Coordinates of all heavy atoms in Angstrom, one line a residue:
M1 N 0.8 -1.2 0.0 CA 0.0 0.0 0.0 C 0.9 1.3 0.0 O 0.4 2.3 0.1 CB -0.9 0.0 1.2 CG -2.0 -1.1 1.1 SD -3.4 -0.9 2.2 CE -2.5 -1.3 3.7
K2 N 2.1 1.1 -0.2 CA 3.0 2.3 -0.3 C 3.1 2.8 -1.8 O 3.5 3.8 -2.0 CB 4.4 1.9 0.2 CG 4.5 1.7 1.7 CD 6.0 1.4 2.0 CE 6.1 1.1 3.5 NZ 7.5 0.9 3.9
D3 N 2.6 1.9 -2.7 CA 2.7 2.2 -4.1 C 1.9 3.4 -4.5 O 0.8 3.6 -3.9 CB 2.3 1.0 -4.9 CG 3.1 -0.2 -4.7 OD1 4.3 -0.1 -4.2 OD2 2.7 -1.3 -5.1
T4 N 2.4 4.2 -5.4 CA 1.6 5.3 -5.9 C 1.7 5.4 -7.4 O 2.7 5.0 -8.0 CB 2.1 6.7 -5.3 OG1 3.5 6.9 -5.7 CG2 1.9 6.7 -3.8
S5 N 0.6 5.8 -8.0 CA 0.5 5.9 -9.5 C -0.2 7.2 -9.9 O -1.0 7.7 -9.1 CB -0.3 4.7 -10.1 OG 0.3 3.5 -9.7
F6 N 0.2 7.7 -11.0 CA -0.4 8.9 -11.5 C -1.1 8.6 -12.9 O -0.5 8.0 -13.7 CB 0.7 10.0 -11.8 CG 0.2 11.2 -12.5 CD1 -0.5 12.2 -11.8 CD2 0.4 11.4 -13.8 CE1 -1.0 13.3 -12.4 CE2 -0.1 12.5 -14.5 CZ -0.8 13.5 -13.7
F7 N -2.4 9.1 -13.0 CA -3.1 8.9 -14.2 C -3.2 10.2 -15.0 O -3.6 11.2 -14.5 CB -4.5 8.4 -14.0 CG -5.3 8.1 -15.2 CD1 -5.0 7.0 -16.0 CD2 -6.3 9.0 -15.7 CE1 -5.7 6.7 -17.2 CE2 -7.0 8.8 -16.8 CZ -6.7 7.6 -17.6
S8 N -2.7 10.2 -16.2 CA -2.8 11.4 -17.1 C -4.1 11.3 -17.9 O -4.2 10.4 -18.7 CB -1.6 11.4 -18.0 OG -1.8 12.4 -19.0
F9 N -4.9 12.3 -17.7 CA -6.1 12.3 -18.5 C -5.8 12.7 -20.0 O -6.6 12.4 -20.9 CB -7.1 13.3 -17.9 CG -7.8 12.8 -16.7 CD1 -7.3 13.1 -15.4 CD2 -8.9 11.9 -16.7 CE1 -7.8 12.6 -14.3 CE2 -9.4 11.4 -15.6 CZ -8.9 11.8 -14.3
V10 N -4.7 13.4 -20.2 CA -4.3 13.8 -21.5 C -3.9 12.5 -22.4 O -4.3 12.3 -23.5 CB -3.2 14.8 -21.5 CG1 -2.6 15.1 -22.9 CG2 -3.6 16.1 -20.8
T11 N -3.0 11.7 -21.8 CA -2.5 10.5 -22.5 C -3.2 9.3 -22.2 O -3.0 8.2 -22.8 CB -1.0 10.3 -22.2 OG1 -0.8 10.0 -20.8 CG2 -0.2 11.5 -22.6
E12 N -4.1 9.3 -21.2 CA -4.8 8.2 -20.7 C -3.9 7.0 -20.3 O -4.1 5.8 -20.7 CB -5.9 7.7 -21.7 CG -7.0 8.8 -21.9 CD -8.1 8.3 -22.8 OE1 -8.1 7.2 -23.3 OE2 -9.0 9.2 -23.0
T13 N -2.8 7.3 -19.6 CA -1.8 6.3 -19.2 C -1.5 6.5 -17.7 O -1.7 7.6 -17.2 CB -0.5 6.4 -20.0 OG1 0.0 7.8 -19.8 CG2 -0.7 6.2 -21.5
W14 N -1.1 5.4 -17.1 CA -0.6 5.4 -15.7 C 0.9 5.5 -15.7 O 1.6 4.8 -16.5 CB -1.1 4.1 -15.0 CG -2.5 4.1 -14.7 CD1 -3.5 3.5 -15.5 CD2 -3.2 4.7 -13.6 NE1 -4.7 3.7 -14.9 CE2 -4.6 4.4 -13.7 CE3 -2.8 5.4 -12.5 CZ2 -5.5 4.8 -12.8 CZ3 -3.7 5.8 -11.6 CH2 -5.1 5.5 -11.7
T15 N 1.4 6.2 -14.7 CA 2.9 6.3 -14.4 C 3.1 5.9 -13.0 O 2.4 6.4 -12.1 CB 3.4 7.7 -14.7 OG1 3.1 8.0 -16.0 CG2 4.9 7.7 -14.5
E16 N 4.0 5.0 -12.7 CA 4.4 4.6 -11.4 C 5.3 5.7 -10.8 O 6.2 6.1 -11.4 CB 5.1 3.2 -11.4 CG 4.2 2.1 -11.8 CD 3.0 1.9 -11.0 OE1 3.1 1.9 -9.8 OE2 1.9 1.7 -11.6
L17 N 4.9 6.1 -9.6 CA 5.7 7.1 -8.9 C 6.5 6.4 -7.7 O 6.3 5.3 -7.4 CB 4.8 8.2 -8.3 CG 3.9 8.9 -9.4 CD1 3.0 9.9 -8.7 CD2 4.8 9.6 -10.4
A18 N 7.3 7.2 -7.0 CA 8.0 6.7 -5.9 C 7.0 6.3 -4.8 O 6.0 6.9 -4.7 CB 8.9 7.8 -5.3
P19 N 7.3 5.2 -4.0 CA 6.4 4.8 -3.0 C 6.4 5.8 -1.8 O 7.4 6.5 -1.6 CB 7.0 3.4 -2.6 CG 8.5 3.5 -2.9 CD 8.5 4.4 -4.1
M20 N 5.3 5.8 -1.1 CA 5.2 6.6 0.1 C 6.1 5.9 1.2 O 6.4 4.8 1.1 CB 3.8 6.7 0.6 CG 2.9 7.6 -0.3 SD 1.2 7.8 0.3 CE 0.5 6.2 -0.2
N21 N 6.4 6.7 2.3 CA 7.1 6.2 3.4 C 6.3 5.2 4.2 O 6.8 4.3 4.8 CB 7.6 7.3 4.2 CG 8.7 8.1 3.5 OD1 9.8 7.7 3.3 ND2 8.3 9.3 3.0
T22 N 5.0 5.5 4.3 CA 4.1 4.7 5.1 C 3.0 4.2 4.3 O 2.4 4.9 3.5 CB 3.5 5.6 6.2 OG1 4.5 6.2 7.0 CG2 2.6 4.8 7.1
G23 N 2.8 2.8 4.3 CA 1.7 2.3 3.6 C 0.4 2.8 4.2 O 0.2 2.9 5.4
R24 N -0.6 3.2 3.4 CA -1.8 3.7 3.9 C -3.0 3.5 2.9 O -2.8 3.5 1.7 CB -1.7 5.2 4.2 CG -1.3 6.1 3.1 CD -1.1 7.5 3.5 NE 0.2 7.7 4.2 CZ 0.4 8.4 5.3 NH1 -0.6 9.0 5.8 NH2 1.5 8.5 5.9
M25 N -4.2 3.3 3.4 CA -5.4 3.2 2.6 C -6.4 4.1 3.4 O -6.3 4.4 4.6 CB -5.9 1.8 2.5 CG -6.3 1.1 3.8 SD -6.9 -0.5 3.4 CE -7.5 -1.0 5.0
G26 N -7.4 4.5 2.7 CA -8.5 5.3 3.3 C -8.0 6.7 3.7 O -8.6 7.3 4.5
H27 N -7.0 7.2 3.1 CA -6.5 8.5 3.4 C -7.2 9.6 2.6 O -7.9 9.3 1.7 CB -5.0 8.6 3.2 CG -4.6 8.2 1.8 ND1 -4.4 6.9 1.3 CD2 -4.4 9.0 0.7 CE1 -4.1 6.9 0.1 NE2 -4.1 8.2 -0.4
K28 N -6.9 10.8 2.9 CA -7.3 11.9 2.0 C -6.1 12.5 1.3 O -5.0 12.5 1.8 CB -8.0 13.0 2.9 CG -9.4 12.8 3.2 CD -10.2 12.7 2.0 CE -11.7 12.5 2.3 NZ -12.4 12.0 1.2
M29 N -6.4 13.0 0.1 CA -5.3 13.7 -0.6 C -5.8 15.1 -1.0 O -6.9 15.3 -1.4 CB -4.9 12.9 -1.9 CG -3.8 13.5 -2.6 SD -3.3 12.3 -4.0 CE -1.9 13.2 -4.6
T30 N -4.9 16.0 -0.9 CA -5.2 17.4 -1.2 C -3.9 18.0 -1.7 O -2.8 17.4 -1.7 CB -5.8 18.2 0.0 OG1 -6.2 19.4 -0.4 CG2 -4.7 18.3 1.1
I31 N -3.9 19.3 -2.1 CA -2.7 20.0 -2.5 C -2.5 21.0 -1.5 O -3.3 21.9 -1.1 CB -2.9 20.7 -3.9 CG1 -3.3 19.7 -5.0 CG2 -1.7 21.5 -4.3 CD1 -2.2 18.7 -5.3
I32 N -1.3 21.0 -0.9 CA -0.8 22.0 0.1 C 0.5 22.6 -0.4 O 1.4 21.9 -0.7 CB -0.6 21.3 1.5 CG1 -1.9 20.8 2.0 CG2 -0.1 22.4 2.5 CD1 -1.8 20.0 3.3
N33 N 0.5 23.9 -0.5 CA 1.7 24.6 -1.0 C 2.1 24.0 -2.4 O 3.3 23.9 -2.7 CB 2.8 24.6 0.0 CG 2.5 25.3 1.2 OD1 1.8 26.3 1.2 ND2 3.0 24.8 2.3
G34 N 1.1 23.7 -3.2 CA 1.4 23.2 -4.6 C 1.9 21.7 -4.6 O 2.3 21.3 -5.7
K35 N 1.9 21.0 -3.5 CA 2.4 19.7 -3.5 C 1.2 18.7 -3.2 O 0.5 18.9 -2.2 CB 3.5 19.5 -2.5 CG 4.7 20.3 -2.8 CD 5.8 20.0 -1.7 CE 7.0 20.9 -1.9 NZ 8.0 20.7 -0.9
P36 N 1.1 17.6 -3.9 CA 0.1 16.6 -3.5 C 0.5 16.1 -2.1 O 1.6 15.7 -1.8 CB 0.4 15.5 -4.6 CG 1.0 16.1 -5.7 CD 1.8 17.2 -5.1
T37 N -0.5 16.0 -1.3 CA -0.3 15.7 0.2 C -1.3 14.7 0.6 O -2.5 14.9 0.4 CB -0.4 17.0 1.0 OG1 0.6 17.9 0.5 CG2 0.0 16.7 2.5
V38 N -0.9 13.6 1.3 CA -1.8 12.6 1.8 C -1.9 12.8 3.3 O -0.8 13.0 4.0 CB -1.5 11.2 1.4 CG1 -1.6 11.0 -0.1 CG2 -0.1 10.8 1.8
I39 N -3.1 12.6 3.9 CA -3.3 12.9 5.3 C -4.0 11.6 5.9 O -5.0 11.2 5.4 CB -4.2 14.1 5.5 CG1 -3.5 15.3 4.8 CG2 -4.5 14.3 6.9 CD1 -4.4 16.5 4.7
G40 N -3.4 11.2 7.0 CA -4.0 10.1 7.7 C -4.0 8.8 7.0 O -3.2 8.5 6.1
G41 N -5.0 8.0 7.2 CA -5.2 6.7 6.6 C -5.1 5.5 7.6 O -5.2 5.8 8.8
F42 N -4.9 4.3 7.1 CA -4.9 3.1 7.9 C -3.8 2.2 7.4 O -3.7 1.9 6.2 CB -6.3 2.5 7.9 CG -6.4 1.3 8.8 CD1 -6.9 1.6 10.1 CD2 -6.1 0.0 8.5 CE1 -7.0 0.5 11.0 CE2 -6.2 -1.0 9.4 CZ -6.7 -0.8 10.6
D43 N -3.0 1.7 8.3 CA -2.0 0.7 8.0 C -1.6 0.0 9.4 O -0.9 0.6 10.2 CB -0.7 1.3 7.4 CG 0.3 0.2 7.1 OD1 -0.1 -0.9 6.7 OD2 1.5 0.5 7.2
H44 N -2.3 -1.1 9.7 CA -2.1 -1.8 11.0 C -2.7 -0.9 12.1 O -2.3 -1.1 13.2 CB -0.7 -2.2 11.2 CG -0.1 -3.1 10.2 ND1 0.6 -2.7 9.1 CD2 -0.2 -4.5 10.1 CE1 0.9 -3.7 8.4 NE2 0.5 -4.8 9.0
G45 N -3.4 0.1 11.8 CA -4.0 1.1 12.8 C -4.2 2.4 12.1 O -3.7 2.7 11.0
E46 N -5.0 3.3 12.8 CA -5.2 4.6 12.2 C -3.9 5.4 12.3 O -3.1 5.3 13.2 CB -6.3 5.3 13.0 CG -7.6 4.6 12.9 CD -8.7 5.2 13.8 OE1 -8.4 5.8 14.8 OE2 -9.9 5.0 13.4
L47 N -3.7 6.2 11.2 CA -2.5 7.0 11.1 C -2.8 8.5 11.4 O -3.8 9.0 11.0 CB -1.9 6.9 9.7 CG -1.5 5.5 9.3 CD1 -1.2 5.4 7.8 CD2 -0.3 5.0 10.1
N48 N -1.8 9.2 11.9 CA -1.9 10.6 12.1 C -0.8 11.4 11.3 O -0.6 12.6 11.5 CB -1.8 11.0 13.6 CG -0.4 10.7 14.2 OD1 0.4 10.0 13.6 ND2 -0.1 11.2 15.4
T49 N -0.1 10.7 10.4 CA 1.0 11.3 9.7 C 0.5 11.9 8.4 O -0.6 11.6 7.9 CB 2.0 10.2 9.3 OG1 1.4 9.1 8.7 CG2 2.7 9.7 10.6
I50 N 1.4 12.8 7.9 CA 1.1 13.5 6.6 C 2.3 13.4 5.7 O 3.5 13.6 6.2 CB 0.9 15.0 6.9 CG1 -0.3 15.2 7.9 CG2 0.7 15.8 5.7 CD1 -0.4 16.6 8.5
E51 N 2.1 13.0 4.5 CA 3.2 12.9 3.5 C 3.0 13.8 2.3 O 1.8 14.0 1.9 CB 3.4 11.5 3.0 CG 3.9 10.5 4.1 CD 4.4 9.2 3.5 OE1 5.2 9.2 2.5 OE2 3.9 8.2 4.0
E52 N 4.0 14.4 1.8 CA 3.9 15.2 0.6 C 4.8 14.8 -0.5 O 5.9 14.2 -0.2 CB 4.1 16.7 0.9 CG 5.5 17.1 1.4 CD 5.6 18.5 1.9 OE1 4.6 19.2 2.0 OE2 6.7 19.0 2.1
F53 N 4.4 15.0 -1.7 CA 5.2 14.5 -2.9 C 5.8 15.8 -3.6 O 5.1 16.7 -4.0 CB 4.3 13.8 -3.9 CG 5.0 13.1 -5.0 CD1 5.9 12.1 -4.8 CD2 4.8 13.6 -6.3 CE1 6.5 11.5 -5.9 CE2 5.4 13.0 -7.4 CZ 6.3 11.9 -7.1
D54 N 7.1 15.8 -3.8 CA 7.8 16.9 -4.4 C 8.0 16.8 -5.9 O 8.7 17.6 -6.5 CB 9.1 17.2 -3.7 CG 10.1 16.1 -3.8 OD1 9.9 15.1 -4.6 OD2 11.2 16.2 -3.2
G55 N 7.4 15.8 -6.5 CA 7.6 15.5 -7.9 C 8.6 14.4 -8.1 O 8.6 13.8 -9.2
T56 N 9.3 14.0 -7.1 CA 10.3 13.0 -7.2 C 10.1 11.9 -6.1 O 10.1 10.7 -6.4 CB 11.8 13.5 -7.1 OG1 11.9 14.5 -8.1 CG2 12.8 12.4 -7.3
S57 N 9.9 12.4 -4.9 CA 9.8 11.5 -3.7 C 8.8 12.0 -2.7 O 8.5 13.2 -2.7 CB 11.2 11.2 -3.1 OG 11.7 12.4 -2.6
W58 N 8.4 11.1 -1.8 CA 7.5 11.4 -0.7 C 8.3 11.7 0.5 O 9.3 11.1 0.8 CB 6.5 10.3 -0.4 CG 5.5 10.0 -1.5 CD1 5.7 9.2 -2.6 CD2 4.2 10.6 -1.6 NE1 4.5 9.2 -3.4 CE2 3.6 10.1 -2.8 CE3 3.5 11.6 -0.9 CZ2 2.4 10.5 -3.2 CZ3 2.3 11.9 -1.3 CH2 1.7 11.4 -2.5
S59 N 7.9 12.7 1.3 CA 8.5 12.9 2.6 C 7.5 13.2 3.7 O 6.4 13.7 3.4 CB 9.5 14.1 2.5 OG 8.8 15.3 2.1
L60 N 7.8 12.7 4.9 CA 6.9 12.9 6.0 C 7.0 14.3 6.5 O 8.1 14.8 6.7 CB 7.2 11.9 7.1 CG 6.8 10.4 6.8 CD1 7.5 9.5 7.8 CD2 5.3 10.3 7.0
R61 N 5.9 15.0 6.7 CA 6.0 16.3 7.3 C 6.1 16.2 8.8 O 5.7 15.2 9.4 CB 4.7 17.1 6.9 CG 4.6 17.4 5.4 CD 3.3 18.1 5.1 NE 3.2 19.3 5.9 CZ 2.9 20.5 5.4 NH1 2.8 20.6 4.1 NH2 2.8 21.5 6.1
A62 N 6.7 17.2 9.4 CA 6.8 17.2 10.9 C 5.5 17.3 11.6 O 5.3 16.7 12.6 CB 7.7 18.4 11.3
E63 N 4.5 18.0 10.9 CA 3.2 18.1 11.5 C 2.5 16.8 11.5 O 2.7 16.0 10.6 CB 2.3 19.2 10.8 CG 2.9 20.5 10.7 CD 3.8 20.7 9.4 OE1 3.9 19.8 8.6 OE2 4.3 21.8 9.3
K64 N 1.6 16.6 12.4 CA 0.7 15.4 12.4 C -0.7 15.9 12.7 O -0.9 17.0 13.3 CB 1.1 14.5 13.5 CG 2.5 13.9 13.3 CD 2.9 12.9 14.4 CE 4.3 12.4 14.3 NZ 4.6 11.5 13.3
I65 N -1.7 15.1 12.3 CA -3.1 15.5 12.6 C -3.4 15.2 14.0 O -2.8 14.3 14.6 CB -4.1 14.9 11.6 CG1 -4.0 13.3 11.6 CG2 -3.9 15.4 10.2 CD1 -5.0 12.7 10.7
S66 N -4.2 15.9 14.7 CA -4.5 15.8 16.1 C -5.0 14.4 16.5 O -4.6 13.9 17.5 CB -5.5 16.9 16.6 OG -4.9 18.1 16.4
F67 N -5.9 13.9 15.7 CA -6.5 12.6 15.9 C -6.2 11.7 14.7 O -6.6 12.0 13.6 CB -8.0 12.7 16.2 CG -8.3 13.6 17.4 CD1 -8.6 14.9 17.2 CD2 -8.2 13.1 18.7 CE1 -8.9 15.7 18.3 CE2 -8.5 13.9 19.8 CZ -8.8 15.2 19.6
A68 N -5.6 10.5 15.0 CA -5.4 9.6 13.9 C -6.7 9.2 13.3 O -7.7 9.0 14.0 CB -4.7 8.3 14.4
S69 N -6.8 9.2 12.0 CA -8.1 8.9 11.3 C -7.9 8.4 9.9 O -6.9 8.5 9.3 CB -8.9 10.2 11.3 OG -10.2 10.0 10.8
Y70 N -9.0 7.7 9.5 CA -9.0 7.3 8.1 C -10.5 7.3 7.6 O -11.4 7.4 8.4 CB -8.4 5.9 7.9 CG -9.3 4.7 8.5 CD1 -10.0 3.9 7.6 CD2 -9.4 4.5 9.8 CE1 -10.8 2.9 8.1 CE2 -10.1 3.5 10.4 CZ -10.8 2.7 9.5 OH -11.6 1.7 10.0
V71 N -10.6 7.3 6.3 CA -11.9 7.4 5.5 C -12.5 8.8 5.6 O -13.1 9.3 4.7 CB -12.9 6.3 6.0 CG1 -14.1 6.4 5.1 CG2 -12.2 4.9 5.8
F72 N -12.4 9.5 6.7 CA -12.8 10.9 6.8 C -14.3 11.1 6.3 O -14.6 12.1 5.7 CB -11.9 11.8 6.0 CG -10.5 11.9 6.5 CD1 -9.5 11.0 6.0 CD2 -10.1 12.7 7.5 CE1 -8.2 11.0 6.5 CE2 -8.8 12.7 8.0 CZ -7.9 11.9 7.5
A73 N -15.1 10.2 6.6 CA -16.6 10.3 6.3 C -16.8 10.5 4.8 O -17.8 11.1 4.4 CB -17.2 11.4 7.1
S74 N -15.9 9.9 4.0 CA -16.1 9.9 2.6 C -17.2 8.9 2.1 O -17.2 7.8 2.6 CB -14.8 9.6 1.8 OG -13.8 10.5 2.1
P75 N -18.1 9.3 1.2 CA -19.1 8.4 0.8 C -18.4 7.3 -0.1 O -17.5 7.6 -0.8 CB -20.1 9.3 0.0 CG -19.3 10.4 -0.4 CD -18.2 10.6 0.6
D76 N -19.0 6.1 -0.1 CA -18.5 5.1 -1.0 C -18.9 5.3 -2.4 O -18.3 4.9 -3.4 CB -18.9 3.7 -0.5 CG -18.2 3.3 0.8 OD1 -17.0 3.7 1.0 OD2 -18.8 2.6 1.5
E77 N -20.1 5.9 -2.6 CA -20.6 6.3 -3.9 C -21.4 7.5 -3.8 O -22.0 7.9 -2.7 CB -21.4 5.1 -4.5 CG -22.6 4.7 -3.7 CD -23.3 3.6 -4.4 OE1 -22.8 2.4 -4.3 OE2 -24.4 3.8 -4.9
I78 N -21.5 8.3 -4.9 CA -22.3 9.5 -4.9 C -23.5 9.3 -5.8 O -23.4 8.9 -6.9 CB -21.4 10.7 -5.4 CG1 -20.2 10.9 -4.5 CG2 -22.2 12.0 -5.5 CD1 -19.2 11.8 -5.0
P79 N -24.7 9.5 -5.2 CA -25.9 9.3 -6.0 C -26.0 10.3 -7.2 O -25.4 11.4 -7.1 CB -27.1 9.5 -5.0 CG -26.5 10.3 -3.9 CD -25.0 10.0 -3.9
E80 N -26.7 9.9 -8.2 CA -26.8 10.8 -9.4 C -27.6 12.0 -9.1 O -27.4 13.1 -9.6 CB -27.5 10.0 -10.6 CG -26.6 9.0 -11.2 CD -27.3 8.4 -12.4 OE1 -28.0 9.1 -13.1 OE2 -27.0 7.2 -12.6
N81 N -28.7 11.9 -8.2 CA -29.5 13.0 -7.8 C -29.4 13.3 -6.4 O -29.6 12.4 -5.6 CB -31.0 12.7 -8.2 CG -31.2 12.5 -9.7 OD1 -30.7 13.3 -10.5 ND2 -31.8 11.5 -10.1
V82 N -29.0 14.5 -6.0 CA -29.0 14.9 -4.6 C -29.9 16.1 -4.4 O -29.9 17.0 -5.2 CB -27.5 15.3 -4.2 CG1 -27.5 15.8 -2.8 CG2 -26.6 14.1 -4.5
S83 N -30.8 16.0 -3.4 CA -31.7 17.1 -3.2 C -31.6 17.5 -1.7 O -31.3 16.7 -0.9 CB -33.1 16.8 -3.6 OG -33.5 15.7 -2.9
C84 N -31.9 18.7 -1.4 CA -32.0 19.2 0.0 C -33.4 19.6 0.3 O -34.1 20.1 -0.4 CB -31.0 20.4 0.1 SG -29.3 19.9 -0.2

């Protein structure tokens, strides 16, 4: 679960990237300071670590999330029609 891949919508191809330092699933990914960043997740337990990708390799950030967590209340699927 340390493996990472990038999908190009332009070329419709996958590229293997450097592995993360910590295997994780159920994490969140966002862009922080222009870098893809993964937060939390699960690997033999809930994680509180944060890793960022500099275009070549992943590095663990010194900061950690306050409470180890994974899945972050993400829906497994999104319905076609949502109403309020």
Side-chain angles (χ1 to χ4, degrees):
M1 291 192 290
K2 292 181 180 182
D3 298 342
T4 58
S5 302
F6 172 78
F7 182 76
S8 169
F9 288 96
V10 174
T11 62
E12 297 184 1
T13 58
W14 287 96
T15 303
E16 296 299 315
L17 303 175
M20 290 184 280
N21 294 286
T22 304
R24 60 185 75 225
M25 65 178 185
H27 57 277
K28 278 299 182 196
M29 183 172 184
T30 189
I31 302 295
I32 298 177
N33 296 326
K35 295 179 181 179
T37 305
V38 294
I39 302 167
F42 187 90
D43 180 36
H44 300 93
E46 295 174 336
L47 299 170
N48 66 348
T49 55
I50 302 169
E51 290 192 53
E52 63 186 13
F53 187 67
D54 65 7
T56 303
S57 63
W58 291 91
S59 59
L60 287 164
R61 292 178 57 128
E63 306 89 0
K64 297 182 188 284
I65 56 177
S66 299
F67 299 98
S69 186
Y70 72 106
V71 182
F72 297 92
S74 297
D76 290 331
E77 60 182 73
I78 300 172
E80 288 186 34
N81 298 312
V82 178
S83 59
C84 297

